[in-house]
Amino acid sequence: MSQKTERRGIHVDQSELLCKKGCGYYGNAAWQGLCSKCWREEYQRVRQKQIQDDWALAEKLQREEEAAAYASSHGAPAQAQATPPPSHPSQSSLGAFSKFEEKKTNEKTRKVTTVKKFFSPSSRSASKKDSPEVKTSSPSMGRHASFDSDQVSKDFMEFLKNLQRPGREIHKQCRSFLLSVSGKKELSAEEVSECVQDFYQGLAERLMGHFKGSSEAVEQVMDQVEKYIMTRLYKSVFCPETTDDEKKDLAMQNRIRALHWVNIHMLCVPMDEEIPEASENVVKAITDIIEMDSKKVPRDKLACVTRCSKHIFAAIGSTKSEPASADDFLPALIYIVLKANPPRLQSNIQYITRFCNPSRLMTGEDGYYFTNLCCAAAFIEKLDAQSLNLTPEEFQSYMSGHASPHSDRNRPSAQDSGPDPPAPNPALAQLQRNLDLLSGLSRRQETLTEAARRLRAELLSWPDSVRREVQDALEKHPLNVSRPAVAAADNADPDLLPEPLAPQVFAG
């Protein structure tokens, strides 16, 4: 148990979050530690090298084919294949190979063509010719578009009205781009991502010229363009069948379920969920990270990550007397992800990586929080006993479900000098407090019920007691009622009474 003498915690140097090429932007695990700009440059360099290698291989195959054709036409031995090819090889063999070469060349040319061709007049005219077929085959561009797509289209048109002539050109370019991408079903997710990023870059450069270098205005327009395009393409580019995103999602969910026993103390998270304010922010953070999957626009998904991160900082700040640091944030984010188990976490990370405006991922708080989320996901995948300051035996027993940190805490320890075992899970502690509260309420209810019974019995016996008291009072003090005496005036003789007074009349 010597490993428990000191908690290591989770510490990531801020320089590790930056691009490995030293450009100063935030890197990403999905881009092998590079930022989006350097990754695209590296990707295009590797791709160009692959194309050159393919051309070299094709030329080699062509020379061997020509040598084989020459040897077969002249009956030469097999070693004659190494001789220089003649000027008149077999037309049938060269014709077949030429078709193969032409097909291979067209395939490579199609893959390396970027979205810049969409801005040329010829490509726009071609897109208009092909638009009826594309509209029929594309669900996102058909008349049965979803309510969200229709609403986003209306909002986009209302926004572009304020730009007048540039707005019409932007809408035309976006429509042309959507038609072109929707018609190319054979493109892989990475190729679609490259096309979208090229479109973002080309449009942003043109907008910078129109708005005379106003980056704020360009960013506002690009946000609307991203919302319009990615809402239309969402169904076809989010977790596509050509990738292993779904497989990674299932693996991540199973991994998080297996790590359900990890608590705050194992990760050295400086949060106390018994504090109401901290507990409320934890719940909000979990809600935000789960809500990320319901959004369609990369910027909206990124906003959920940012809100989640801010709630985490608020929860840490309500626990500590000092401001939260970056070393506190990453363990807390890992804890929130483990508690939330967000649906399709890997697919959402890949979707943001592929199709979000690159400027958001390279700089600013959005890029910082998203980079930490990628680090948290990578840490969960590689989490082991040493990361949690446990022995391999303890880690394996917890993972298999044969033991739990709570049960080990109640077990007497053989080493009295060792540190205290980790505290129980806050959820279990809260459950115990609720049970104690319910027990207290039950006792109070029983007392109140007994008092109500006594009061009812007293009310039922009260009339009888009053009746007995009245009877006793009447017996002790009887009531004697005597008849009143007759007045003397009532027995007088009427004849002895004086004459009644007569009215007197006076002359006026």
Side-chain angles (χ1 to χ4, degrees):
M1 303 297 289
S2 60
Q3 295 182 5
K4 290 187 177 181
T5 57
E6 181 182 356
R7 289 193 177 275
R8 296 179 177 84
I10 302 172
H11 302 285
V12 176
D13 192 353
Q14 294 302 302
S15 61
E16 298 179 8
L17 302 179
L18 301 178
C19 178
K20 290 183 178 180
K21 286 197 172 183
C23 62
Y25 296 125
Y26 288 118
N28 194 318
W31 296 327
Q32 300 177 2
L34 303 177
C35 66
S36 61
K37 180 177 179 295
C38 295
W39 168 252
R40 290 191 62 204
E41 294 176 354
E42 183 68 17
Y43 177 77
Q44 291 176 357
R45 185 187 65 80
V46 174
R47 192 171 182 179
Q48 187 65 28
K49 184 178 181 302
Q50 182 65 36
I51 294 173
Q52 294 175 357
D53 294 343
D54 292 343
W55 273 101
L57 178 60
E59 292 176 356
K60 180 180 178 181
L61 292 175
Q62 183 177 6
R63 288 194 300 267
E64 294 178 355
E65 185 77 15
E66 291 175 352
Y70 175 78
S72 61
S73 61
H74 290 78
Q79 59 267 23
Q81 294 181 5
T83 58
S87 58
H88 52 284
S90 174
Q91 296 297 327
S92 59
S93 299
L94 288 178
F97 183 79
S98 298
K99 292 182 179 179
F100 165 78
E101 181 65 18
E102 182 180 358
K103 182 178 180 181
K104 186 176 183 64
T105 302
N106 293 337
E107 181 72 13
K108 293 298 179 182
T109 304
R110 178 189 58 76
K111 288 186 178 181
V112 299
T113 302
T114 61
V115 187
K116 294 180 180 179
K117 66 178 184 180
F118 299 142
F119 294 101
S120 62
S122 59
S123 63
R124 289 198 297 267
S125 61
S127 299
K128 291 180 180 179
K129 293 179 182 179
D130 298 338
S131 59
E133 298 180 0
V134 174
K135 287 183 179 180
T136 304
S137 60
S138 175
S140 62
M141 299 301 294
R143 59 183 179 181
H144 298 289
S146 64
F147 173 77
D148 292 339
S149 299
D150 293 340
Q151 186 62 40
V152 168
S153 299
K154 293 179 181 178
D155 296 340
F156 187 58
M157 293 299 297
E158 290 295 329
F159 173 79
L160 293 180
K161 285 182 180 179
N162 300 326
L163 302 179
Q164 298 179 355
R165 187 176 180 277
R168 292 192 296 269
E169 183 65 21
I170 292 173
H171 182 258
K172 184 188 299 183
Q173 299 297 336
C174 291
R175 291 280 298 180
S176 176
F177 173 74
L178 287 173
L179 291 173
S180 301
V181 174
S182 300
K184 296 180 179 180
K185 304 296 183 181
E186 69 280 3
L187 292 180
S188 65
E190 297 300 332
E191 290 171 339
V192 176
S193 172
E194 186 178 359
C195 291
V196 172
Q197 296 297 333
D198 284 339
F199 179 76
Y200 287 162
Q201 182 178 359
L203 184 59
E205 291 175 355
R206 299 182 62 178
L207 291 175
M208 285 294 289
H210 172 74
F211 289 106
K212 299 179 181 180
S214 176
S215 58
E216 183 178 354
V218 173
E219 183 177 357
Q220 184 179 7
V221 175
M222 291 304 300
D223 288 343
Q224 295 296 325
V225 169
E226 176 187 324
K227 182 178 181 181
Y228 173 70
I229 289 179
M230 296 317 303
T231 303
R232 291 281 185 167
L233 296 178
Y234 178 79
K235 291 183 179 180
S236 59
V237 300
F238 182 83
C239 191
E241 297 179 355
T242 57
T243 64
D244 58 348
D245 293 349
E246 184 176 1
K247 182 179 178 180
K248 292 180 179 179
D249 289 334
L250 295 176
M252 175 61 73
Q253 286 192 346
N254 293 332
R255 178 68 171 173
I256 293 178
R257 290 193 188 102
L259 294 170
H260 65 89
W261 47 269
V262 178
N263 55 42
I264 285 182
H265 302 280
M266 293 180 179
L267 295 171
C268 299
V269 179
M271 285 193 310
D272 186 2
E273 292 189 84
E274 295 184 2
I275 300 177
E277 185 179 355
S279 178
E280 182 180 356
N281 281 292
V282 168
V283 173
K284 291 180 179 179
I286 293 174
T287 303
D288 288 330
I289 199 66
I290 293 177
E291 188 182 0
M292 175 178 62
D293 186 60
S294 64
K295 305 298 181 181
K296 292 184 177 181
V297 184
R299 178 170 58 92
D300 296 341
K301 292 180 180 291
L302 204 58
C304 292
V305 177
T306 301
R307 289 198 303 270
C308 169
S309 303
K310 290 183 177 181
H311 287 310
I312 291 175
F313 273 106
I316 298 175
S318 61
T319 303
K320 299 177 60 177
S321 58
E322 56 186 12
S325 63
D327 291 335
D328 299 331
F329 170 65
L330 182 58
L333 179 60
I334 294 172
Y335 175 71
I336 293 298
V337 173
L338 289 176
K339 289 195 68 173
N341 196 0
R344 301 188 292 185
L345 177 61
Q346 292 290 356
S347 292
N348 282 288
I349 290 178
Q350 292 296 330
Y351 180 74
I352 296 174
T353 301
R354 292 167 182 158
F355 302 108
C356 185
N357 194 330
S359 61
R360 289 186 174 274
L361 300 183
M362 294 190 300
T363 57
E365 63 177 7
D366 292 341
Y368 174 77
Y369 294 143
F370 180 71
T371 303
N372 277 272
L373 177 62
C374 296
C375 292
F379 177 84
I380 292 173
E381 291 177 344
K382 301 177 182 179
L383 190 142
D384 55 8
Q386 185 178 5
S387 304
L388 298 176
N389 202 20
L390 300 173
T391 64
E393 293 77 14
E394 288 175 330
F395 182 81
Q396 188 60 34
S397 62
Y398 295 159
M399 291 293 292
S400 60
H402 295 146
S404 66
H406 181 64
S407 61
D408 289 348
R409 180 177 178 269
N410 296 330
R411 188 181 306 163
S413 176
Q415 297 181 356
D416 297 334
S417 60
D420 295 337
N425 191 303
L428 297 178
Q430 182 66 34
L431 179 61
Q432 186 61 41
R433 288 194 296 270
N434 292 340
L435 291 176
D436 295 340
L437 181 61
L438 289 175
S439 299
L441 291 176
S442 178
R443 290 192 297 269
R444 292 177 60 186
Q445 184 180 12
E446 292 176 358
T447 304
L448 183 61
T449 303
E450 183 63 26
R453 291 197 191 99
R454 291 197 301 268
L455 178 61
R456 184 173 183 273
E458 292 177 359
L459 290 176
L460 292 176
S461 62
W462 180 72
D464 295 338
S465 62
V466 172
R467 193 178 296 109
R468 287 193 300 269
E469 292 178 1
V470 171
Q471 187 65 29
D472 293 342
L474 291 177
E475 291 177 357
K476 293 180 180 179
H477 307 282
L479 182 62
N480 296 324
V481 180
S482 59
R483 298 183 62 184
V486 179
D490 294 338
N491 299 327
D493 189 2
D495 296 336
L496 299 176
L497 295 175
E499 292 292 333
L501 297 176
Q504 295 182 2
V505 179
F506 295 93

